[in-house]
Amino acid sequence: MPITPSKKIWMDGELVDWENATVHVLTHALHYGSGVFEGVRAYNTSQGPAVFRLTDHIVRLFNSAKILSMEIPFSVDELIEATKKTVDVNELDECYIRPLVYLGYGEMGLNPLPCTVNVSIAVWPWGSYLGEENMAKGVRMKISSWQRHDPNAMPPAAKMTGMYINSSLAKVEAIRAGYDEAILLSPQGYVSECTGENIFIVNRGKIITPPVSAGALEGITQDSVFAIARDLGYEVQVGNVLRSDLYTCDEAFCTGTAAEVVPIYSVDDRVIGERGPITTAIQSAYNAAVRGETDRYKDWNEHVS
Ligand code: PPE
């Protein structure tokens, strides 16, 4: 998806012009995928732009860094403030936000411990990640021939840049085969997640999503959907899902910050159907919550100024 430039990018404490936010080709992270990142969104609310669950995203960023033994040279509060400031100076009511912590220039080789740790925060306007029309129609999914990482090969709890090669392999395979998105299975054969989204199925009114042990990221949108679905009166369970469960479920949808809540129309050409009633209810409650329209979830809207 093309990027629309904004004005300023926060880099290691300074706001620099968009076109000057560059790095050296010998930046460690370019060679070894040694970075951790977040995907966050700011939405327009009646009291101006608010970043959705910003604190939770920054805390997850620090946990990802800890797993990789990266020492972030800023505090959680400093990066929260830096994110708000970056949204504010770019004067965007709604935007996608990409905080990135990466090993910088100066060291090569696989021992990351002596490397410089750099931090950047970029924001830009980003539309529907899986296509605007698919928000109603639903996406066509393919089970990938690529497996999700074994948690002892690549820890799925860390949102590490290098890990996303696994997602890219699956995405390319799905797109070339004429699908919108891929679903990955764990090495044990359970449903894990999509390339950049968690997955949910609905069966006889019960909502189920795979556990972290199946290789899924602990999604913040997933967590918001837990709260929303329970508040709407639905039963939500974290549990193993089989490939065949995807073929026979009543409804399915995927969730992510970039994607938001997106219905799944079919999996491997087994049609689940158009956006169902539970998916519709959760999707519209999510869209209202992110824009500060629901009192109950107002703590999730972290205002920029
Ligand atoms: N699984 C993966 C692998 C993943 O990358 C994401 C977010 C999720 C689940 C959902 O997590 P959350 O955003 O906390 O609900 N993917 C981010 C990056 C997408 C990209 O293409 O880059 C995102 O949605 O921002």
Side-chain angles (χ1 to χ4, degrees), residues 15-38:
L15 284 164
V16 303
D17 289 340
W18 178 275
E19 53 280 4
N20 295 333
T22 54
V23 295
H24 196 278
V25 288
L26 292 183
T27 296
H28 195 276
L30 277 178
H31 298 254
Y32 305 116
S34 46
V36 294
F37 71 101
E38 272 303 317

Side-chain angles (χ1 to χ4, degrees), residues 172-210:
V172 167
E173 182 187 66
I175 288 173
R176 287 204 174 134
Y179 297 85
D180 300 305
E181 174 58 322
I183 297 167
L184 293 118
L185 306 181
S186 72
Q188 291 72 33
Y190 295 112
V191 174
S192 177
E193 58 177 350
C194 311
T195 68
E197 305 86 28
N198 291 108
I199 190 165
F200 287 77
I201 61 167
V202 182
N203 240 342
R204 279 176 259 111
K206 201 187 320 166
I207 301 169
I208 310 162
T209 190

Side-chain angles (χ1 to χ4, degrees), residues 43 53 100 176 227 236 280 293 301:
Y43 292 90
R53 301 191 63 172
L100 171 70
R176 287 204 174 134
V236 187
T280 305
E293 290 161 16
N301 312 113

Side-chain angles (χ1 to χ4, degrees), residues 227-242:
I228 287 168
R230 286 179 181 133
D231 291 343
L232 288 171
Y234 300 116
E235 189 186 331
V236 187
Q237 263 180 19
V238 177
N240 278 324
V241 173
L242 292 168

Side-chain angles (χ1 to χ4, degrees), residues 39 60 96 98 129 148 159 164 193 196 198 219-221 257-258:
R60 189 171 67 184
Y96 186 72
R98 171 53 57 82
Y129 187 69
R148 198 42 140 188
K159 219 172 144 55
Y164 278 79
E193 58 177 350
N198 291 108
I220 290 169
T221 319
T257 299

Side-chain angles (χ1 to χ4, degrees), residues 58-79:
I58 298 296
V59 167
R60 189 171 67 184
L61 182 71
F62 275 76
N63 286 334
S64 296
K66 187 173 184 185
I67 293 171
L68 259 189
S69 301
M70 290 167 89
E71 194 77 51
I72 301 181
F74 296 94
S75 66
V76 169
D77 286 346
E78 282 170 332
L79 292 192

